[in-house]
Amino acid sequence: MLLRHLMKTTHKAGFVAIVGRPNVGKSTLLNALIGQKVAITSPKPQTTRHRISGIVTTPDYQLVFVDTPGMHQGKDLLNRTIDKVAVSSLKDVDIVLFVVDRKKTAAETHIMSYFDTLKIPVFLLINKIDTLASKHEIDELIVSYLGAYDFAGYYPISAKETTHLEQLKRDLIKLIPEGPQYFPTDMKSDQSDTMMMSELIREKILYLTEQEVPHAVAVQIESLADNPKEKTLDVGVVIIVERSSQKMILIGKQGEKIKAIGTAARKDINQYLNRKVHLTLWVKVKKDWRNRPQDLKTFGFGD
Ligand SMILES: Nc1nc2c(ncn2[C@@H]2O[C@H](COP(=O)(O)OP(=O)(O)OP(=O)(O)O)[C@@H](O)[C@H]2O)c(=O)[nH]1
Ligand SMILES: [Mg+2]
């Protein structure tokens, strides 16, 4: 009787890394698994730049999902620094989810080479199955990965439509070890409110600008102040770009672009913080910041 009671109360805890090429849907998957938006997503590659954990807590277990930047062997220092973040996330986790959205190519093979030294289960997740026409297409995709790595499981999913995610979660819970609850029950993410604010602003820039501009941007929250008179949180934001031509694009004709970015970001931040915010956006040029180690450090990149 006592033994049964003890067995029933055994608590499990595990860390699960989400890795893959840019734009395959890793952050969309993270949000779907957590059940709320903890990471920004966009149709443009290289959306995620930092490791972000999302946390699922129940009385019986805690699953910590670690979203990572898409791995893609980029050339500039920022991208190389970001790639290292993804690779280092493979250490210190219990399970890896390798997300793909197409048949195996050299890019996927390169990522799989990092799995060779791992002694933990790696699941292959075939995402975006809502865009595939038939089961036959899904099978063909899986077949292209057979023999490339000894995956612990194959999961056709749709992060966008949350297809087959419950099955995936159930299997993860089976594999994670016994362990304590590492994070408080109500904590959904390890990202601070300030970080999330700057990410939401960057998300709007990803949606509202084109070509190299979104990737040349860093967003920094410079000041936060309660405004009791207006009952708002006043937020001063600096958007850093690499060239004055990018600054002009970001501001737009008669400031239209920056205004649209501010309006869209304000709406999301209001909702996220559940309070009214007032954003003041400044655009500054910092030449070639993506290749300057000191600037990267200042903007919080690296491990
Ligand atoms: N149709 C469909 N689209 C999806 C699915 N999952 C993600 N997407 C879309 O794919 C795009 C990229 O999604 P993200 O979640 O930002 O991708 P990511 O892998 O985190 O990208 P990086 O952070 O750049 O590495 C977005 O437009 C998503 O809406 C899916 O299951 N089906
Ligand atoms: Mg992402």
Side-chain angles (χ1 to χ4, degrees), residues 22-23 25-28 39-42 46-49 67-70:
N23 213 41
K26 298 178 296 299
S27 303
T28 307
I40 61 163
T41 64
S42 93
Q46 291 140 52
T47 295
T48 305
R49 287 175 169 176
D67 184 22
T68 63

Side-chain angles (χ1 to χ4, degrees), residues 50-277:
H50 299 277
R51 177 171 34 208
I52 299 164
S53 295
I55 305 151
V56 178
T57 307
T58 75
D60 301 323
Y61 65 84
Q62 188 161 63
L63 269 173
V64 183
F65 293 98
V66 184
D67 184 22
T68 63
M71 295 188 206
H72 73 291
Q73 297 177 285
K75 285 196 184 66
D76 62 36
L77 186 61
L78 173 64
N79 276 311
R80 277 183 279 135
T81 309
I82 284 175
D83 237 34
K84 277 193 207 144
V85 171
V87 174
S88 73
S89 304
L90 295 169
K91 291 184 242 152
D92 309 324
V93 292
D94 302 292
I95 303 168
V96 174
L97 305 179
F98 177 39
V99 186
V100 300
D101 64 352
R102 65 180 189 193
K103 284 186 187 169
K104 182 172 65 97
T105 73
E108 284 83 5
T109 304
H110 173 73
I111 296 173
M112 285 189 285
S113 71
Y114 292 113
F115 303 158
D116 286 340
T117 53
L118 296 179
K119 291 184 176 60
I120 49 173
V122 182
F123 289 2
L124 182 72
L125 270 51
I126 298 92
N127 191 29
K128 308 191 185 178
I129 58 163
D130 56 294
T131 64
L132 299 178
S134 64
K135 179 155 184 316
H136 178 68
E137 247 184 278
I138 299 171
D139 289 344
E140 272 191 347
L141 222 147
I142 294 176
V143 166
S144 79
Y145 288 90
L146 292 180
Y149 187 80
D150 191 13
F151 290 108
Y154 298 83
Y155 295 81
I157 62 158
S158 167
K160 198 174 172 182
E161 297 184 352
T162 68
T163 314
H164 299 155
L165 297 190
E166 282 311 310
Q167 171 73 42
L168 170 67
K169 243 190 220 174
R170 270 202 300 275
D171 291 354
L172 291 173
I173 295 157
K174 276 184 215 152
L175 282 179
I176 58 172
E178 282 177 26
Q181 184 177 318
Y182 293 103
F183 298 96
T185 306
D186 57 357
M187 190 168 162
K188 296 273 189 238
S189 150
D190 67 345
Q191 216 175 187
S192 67
D193 286 348
T194 312
M195 190 69 203
M196 189 59 176
M197 278 192 253
S198 70
E199 284 288 88
L200 287 168
I201 295 162
R202 202 166 60 78
E203 184 181 57
K204 305 311 165 223
I205 297 169
L206 279 155
Y207 273 92
L208 293 170
T209 63
E210 298 303 326
Q211 288 158 13
E212 95 283 7
V213 177
H215 303 300
V217 158
V219 178
Q220 282 212 303
I221 306 293
E222 293 271 289
S223 62
L224 290 166
D226 261 317
N227 183 336
K229 212 168 126 210
E230 302 287 333
K231 295 200 174 71
T232 56
L233 175 68
D234 292 354
V235 187
V237 183
V238 174
I239 300 172
I240 295 107
V241 290
E242 285 187 323
R243 290 198 294 272
S244 49
S245 58
Q246 294 162 347
K247 177 174 173 170
M248 276 167 67
I249 294 169
L250 210 55
I251 292 172
K253 227 196 276 167
Q254 291 169 332
E256 270 170 25
K257 186 65 88 186
I258 196 77
K259 206 172 154 195
I261 291 164
T263 306
R266 174 166 46 80
K267 278 187 192 149
D268 271 19
I269 296 171
N270 283 347
Q271 201 185 5
Y272 183 78
L273 296 178
N274 197 19
R275 68 176 293 191
K276 260 182 136 171
V277 293

